[in-house]
Amino acid sequence: MLSPTLATVARHESAGVDVSKLVADPASYKQGMRRLASGVTVIATEHKSERFGLLSTGVASVSADPPVLLACISRSASSHDPIAHSGRFCVNILPQGDEELAGRFGSSRVREGRFADRDWQPLATGAPALVGCLASFDCIVTRALAAETHTVFFGSVAEVRLWSETIDPLLYWDGCYRAASVAS
């Protein structure tokens, strides 16, 4: 039996469609993706007694039972290999007002000071969790899939820490950080 993806490809091929030529224009793709609002996270790990982290909007829930999430990380990111080698990472959801921290983790120029001036605690796996963020998901890598320029890391969630009762996420869309506006 074919997987759903392979079955779809087979249907297209039987209809005379060359799926290898079905590729969207990268510029249009980027413009379209700028319209997708995403939560802003810092993904952090510890490897060989050193902390590594990066800014990410590429995080999604996979399963609630058992709890599994995924994180898409560029293979060129300085944190990619430490995550792959340590087999653990922590996803920290940033609240509104954390644009400075987001900028720090989003720029390679300030790599040395990323973890400065904030409280970070190791959770169950030993990966750094940001005290005071909206939520931290401490994960063990269970699978890693190569996907073009990125690796999709699947993380079995070992611990969840809800640091605050307030839910005011920092969002990113159209190239800017934004606050969610909630209508009552």
Side-chain angles (χ1 to χ4, degrees):
M1 179 166 172
L2 292 176
S3 72
T5 302
L6 293 176
T8 301
V9 170
R11 274 197 309 277
H12 285 303
E13 287 175 348
S14 68
V17 177
D18 183 357
V19 294
S20 68
K21 297 190 192 286
L22 296 177
V23 179
D25 169 58
S28 296
Y29 173 78
K30 288 177 186 177
Q31 287 296 327
M33 290 304 294
R34 288 177 68 105
R35 297 174 184 199
L36 176 63
S38 299
V40 180
T41 68
V42 168
I43 300 175
T45 193
E46 186 274 334
H47 181 59
K48 295 184 178 179
S49 300
E50 188 176 350
R51 294 185 293 189
F52 298 86
L54 71 148
L55 189 70
S56 178
T57 57
V59 173
S61 174
V62 174
S63 170
D65 190 12
V68 176
L69 59 75
L70 64 79
C72 301
I73 299 177
S74 172
R75 285 193 295 278
S76 67
S78 62
S79 299
H80 178 276
D81 290 351
I83 290 169
H85 295 305
S86 71
R88 60 190 170 174
F89 62 92
C90 188
V91 174
N92 299 281
I93 301 174
L94 298 186
Q96 293 174 25
D98 246 346
E99 291 86 346
E100 186 277 327
L101 184 69
R104 209 184 310 167
F105 277 86
S107 171
S108 60
R109 289 174 288 155
V110 289
R111 197 171 282 145
E112 305 308 317
R114 287 182 174 169
F115 290 91
D117 304 326
R118 296 296 289 270
D119 188 10
W120 296 85
Q121 282 184 10
L123 295 184
T125 70
L130 176 61
V131 175
C133 71
L134 297 181
S136 297
F137 298 90
D138 189 27
C139 300
I140 299 165
V141 175
T142 57
R143 183 179 306 158
L145 299 175
E148 309 308 329
T149 58
H150 286 60
T151 298
V152 181
F153 289 100
F154 290 82
S156 175
V157 181
E159 184 176 351
V160 177
R161 186 69 56 95
L162 305 175
W163 300 99
S164 171
E165 294 297 319
T166 305
I167 302 173
D168 55 352
L170 181 62
L171 299 178
Y172 187 79
W173 82 87
D174 198 20
C176 298
Y177 296 113
R178 301 178 191 247
S181 58
V182 181
S184 349

